[in-house]
């Protein structure tokens, strides 16, 4: 009799627990979507870059908002789970030299674990630009966790533009970097 009662309870409880778990996960997903829609796409344009702290993946050198002072910067947010991000890696690598010649520094910003980042970004030249930031700083810079996403930050640490890679500002930047004379050529 006790075995029959236990079996009957399990038959009722297991589906109830499974349904509860499923509903909880669905509610959680909906809540995340709602919060993401309400978050601004980017940090405030024409305002100082938000505070953040992190370190270079290779070497561990500390990086924060003050590190951006004195030269133009492009902060690029990529995710190892993003197929479009993977396709941007060769493009970013091709831009490194012309950006450097124009006095622009590239920073790849992530909060993913180091092992995952090393697997995702295998080219040493791009790993040298890779900064792991804390969760709060990442959220301040990229409130919706968008990818592939960029921020243009000028030499006085002011955010000048931000959006998805490939928008009008990004295309104009790439064209300018590839076609205008570099700092070396101008001197």
């Amino acid at each position: 009799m006790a075995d029959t009662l236990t079996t009957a309870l399990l038959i009722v409880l297991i589906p109830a627990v499974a349904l509860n778990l499923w509903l909880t996960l669905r509610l959680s997903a909906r809540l995340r979507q709602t919060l993401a829609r309400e978050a601004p796409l980017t940090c405030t344009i024409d305002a100082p870059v938000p505070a953040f702290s992190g370190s270079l993946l290779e070497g561990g050198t500390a990086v924060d908002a003050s590190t951006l002072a004195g030269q133009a910067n492009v902060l690029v947010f990529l995710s190892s789970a993003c197929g479009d991000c993977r396709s941007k890696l060769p493009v970013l690598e091709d831009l490194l030299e012309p950006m450097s010649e124009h006095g622009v520094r590239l920073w790849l910003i992530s909060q993913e674990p180091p092992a995952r980042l090393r697997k995702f970004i295998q080219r040493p030249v791009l790993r040298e630009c890779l900064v792991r930031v804390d969760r709060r700083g990442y959220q301040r810079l990229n409130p919706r966790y968008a990818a592939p996403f960029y921020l243009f930050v000028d030499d006085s640490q002011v955010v000048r533009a931000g959006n998805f890679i490939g928008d009008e500002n990004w295309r104009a930047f790439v064209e300018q970097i590839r076609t205008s004379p570099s700092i070396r050529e101008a001197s």
Side-chain angles (χ1 to χ4, degrees), residues 39 42-43 54 67 70 80 86 89 99-100 119 129 138 151 156 179:
T42 186
C43 56
T67 309
S80 63
R86 193 171 309 283
L89 293 175
M99 286 174 67
S100 177
K119 185 175 180 183
C129 307
Y138 190 96
L151 291 176
S156 61
T179 61

Side-chain angles (χ1 to χ4, degrees), residues 19-40:
L19 178 61
N20 187 352
L21 179 61
W22 181 79
L23 289 172
T24 301
L25 292 173
R26 293 267 313 191
L27 181 60
S28 176
R30 293 264 186 185
L31 182 59
R32 277 194 306 275
Q33 289 173 347
T34 301
L35 292 175
R37 280 194 298 270
E38 291 174 3

Side-chain angles (χ1 to χ4, degrees), residues 11-90:
I11 289 172
V12 171
L13 284 176
I14 290 174
V17 169
L19 178 61
N20 187 352
L21 179 61
W22 181 79
L23 289 172
T24 301
L25 292 173
R26 293 267 313 191
L27 181 60
S28 176
R30 293 264 186 185
L31 182 59
R32 277 194 306 275
Q33 289 173 347
T34 301
L35 292 175
R37 280 194 298 270
E38 291 174 3
L41 179 59
T42 186
C43 56
T44 306
I45 305 299
D46 294 328
V49 69
F52 71 92
S53 62
S55 60
L56 288 170
L57 180 69
E58 302 298 326
T61 303
V63 176
D64 60 22
S66 68
T67 309
L68 306 180
Q71 74 180 89
N73 300 272
V74 178
L75 282 61
V76 174
F77 301 85
L78 302 173
S79 168
S80 63
C82 166
D84 197 25
C85 295
R86 193 171 309 283
S87 71
K88 302 301 183 206
L89 293 175

Side-chain angles (χ1 to χ4, degrees), residues 29-160:
R30 293 264 186 185
L31 182 59
R32 277 194 306 275
Q33 289 173 347
T34 301
L35 292 175
R37 280 194 298 270
E38 291 174 3
L41 179 59
T42 186
C43 56
T44 306
I45 305 299
D46 294 328
V49 69
F52 71 92
S53 62
S55 60
L56 288 170
L57 180 69
E58 302 298 326
T61 303
V63 176
D64 60 22
S66 68
T67 309
L68 306 180
Q71 74 180 89
N73 300 272
V74 178
L75 282 61
V76 174
F77 301 85
L78 302 173
S79 168
S80 63
C82 166
D84 197 25
C85 295
R86 193 171 309 283
S87 71
K88 302 301 183 206
L89 293 175
V91 174
L92 293 169
E93 185 174 359
D94 289 345
L95 288 173
L96 272 174
E97 186 176 335
M99 286 174 67
S100 177
E101 290 174 357
H102 284 81
V104 178
R105 177 98 191 246
L106 174 68
W107 303 94
L108 303 178
I109 309 294
S110 181
Q111 63 174 2
E112 294 184 47
R116 187 179 310 158
L117 289 172
R118 286 186 178 94
K119 185 175 180 183
F120 175 53
I121 300 177
Q122 297 180 354
R123 302 290 298 195
V125 69
L126 288 177
R127 281 189 186 170
E128 292 173 8
C129 307
L130 187 53
V131 179
R132 289 194 67 244
V133 298
D134 60 40
R135 184 187 59 78
R136 295 186 85 202
Y138 190 96
Q139 191 172 28
R140 284 186 202 114
L141 293 167
N142 186 358
R144 288 199 192 167
Y145 294 82
F149 195 79
Y150 72 87
L151 291 176
F152 294 148
V153 181
D154 69 14
D155 59 347
S156 61
Q157 302 166 283
V158 173
V159 177
R160 294 301 176 186

